[in-house]
Amino acid sequence: MRTDVTIIGGGFAGTAAAITLARANRSVLLVDDGKPRNRFSEHAHGILAWDSVNPTDLLRRGHAEFETFGGALVRDRAENLTNVNGRWSVTLASGDVIESPHVLVATGITDVLPDVHGLTELWGSRVFHCPYCHGYEVKGTNLAVVGGENPGFTFNITKLLTKWADAVTFFLNGLELPGEEKPLFESLGITVVDEPVLEVGPAEGDQVVIRTTNHQYVFESCFTGPRFEPNDELLREAGCEVVDGWVRTERGLTSRPGLWAAGNVVSSPDQVSQATGAGAAVGIAIDQALFAETLP
């Protein structure tokens, strides 16, 4: 198969780019394996005029919209990405091969949660990580934060959550609170519990029960700080430059000609609205690059 642009990853960044390019009269093939980062969430927030929308439903509508503009959606997984004579070749798990002069990788990120029994089962429904995505919904609550991964991020969201919650309890769960953080936590009224968390489970209503070695606590809401691992294997194997653990891009273009990246695969903080905007912007940049290539 040959196409102007192949997009790997049909999340919000990839789909926004796909729609932008299809509307620019480009032949676009969108490869998606159906596993977006926020598939665990029941609601998405901070989306203009679509607050509390189910992100899976919204993405489904985006895919359908892309196809109305002539785009092709392929339910598959990209296994290999190579450059042959100036064209990119994408090999899918099915064995099909797609060739195009430009490829956009928007494969997102993986949230690695603390190794606590029950935490994964509640992820996205009763356990969250982003104050700006879910802080408003938990305002006025007695809130817990479970540590164990990504210390800097976890310390930061614990402090930020005091803007919304009436009370915040931070379970170190193996983390060590730096000396400079202790007075800040005290001034914000954060209760620190230095006990390993054995289990997180559902309680009455939407509450969460946290069991430690010696105690059991019940909270109205719960957050944790996952470790963010970009799904950038294809980009790294293609030889893209990496800076501080992330593939470097400039206006979406990697260090390899014709190879682009957008969304969480190169930027961990992107919410739905940010990822959508980033994808659209990179889609425009790709279209203009294609146009420039046709000029004498």
Side-chain angles (χ1 to χ4, degrees), residues 179-296:
E180 65 272 16
E181 294 284 11
K182 292 178 181 178
L184 290 174
F185 272 51
E186 291 176 2
S187 68
L188 292 169
I190 299 169
T191 300
V192 178
V193 178
D194 190 7
E195 296 180 36
V197 176
L198 303 180
E199 183 180 10
V200 176
E204 183 179 355
D206 290 329
Q207 297 184 114
V208 174
V209 59
I210 294 180
R211 298 183 180 89
T212 65
T213 307
N214 301 311
H215 299 89
Q216 178 171 301
Y217 307 81
V218 176
F219 296 92
E220 295 170 83
S221 51
C222 183
F223 280 67
T224 192
R227 185 173 75 253
F228 305 126
E229 292 189 353
N231 304 319
D232 59 4
E233 296 86 357
L234 290 172
L235 294 168
R236 289 174 180 261
E237 291 170 2
C240 294
E241 181 183 351
V242 177
V243 177
D244 295 329
W246 294 86
V247 171
R248 184 183 68 81
T249 61
E250 184 173 346
R251 294 185 64 228
L253 183 62
T254 71
S255 59
R256 298 297 312 276
L259 183 54
W260 308 72
N264 281 143
V265 70
V266 290
S267 177
S268 69
D270 285 4
Q271 301 171 337
V272 170
S273 55
Q274 291 171 298
T276 302
V282 175
I284 291 172
I286 293 173
D287 176 67
Q288 293 184 356
L290 283 163
F291 181 70
E293 291 167 4
T294 65
L295 296 177

Side-chain angles (χ1 to χ4, degrees), residues 131 135 138 143-145 156-165 168 223:
V138 301
L143 182 150
V145 179
N156 191 44
I157 66 168
T158 302
K159 291 179 289 188
L160 283 170
L161 284 165
T162 61
K163 295 172 67 276
W164 290 275
V168 174
F223 280 67

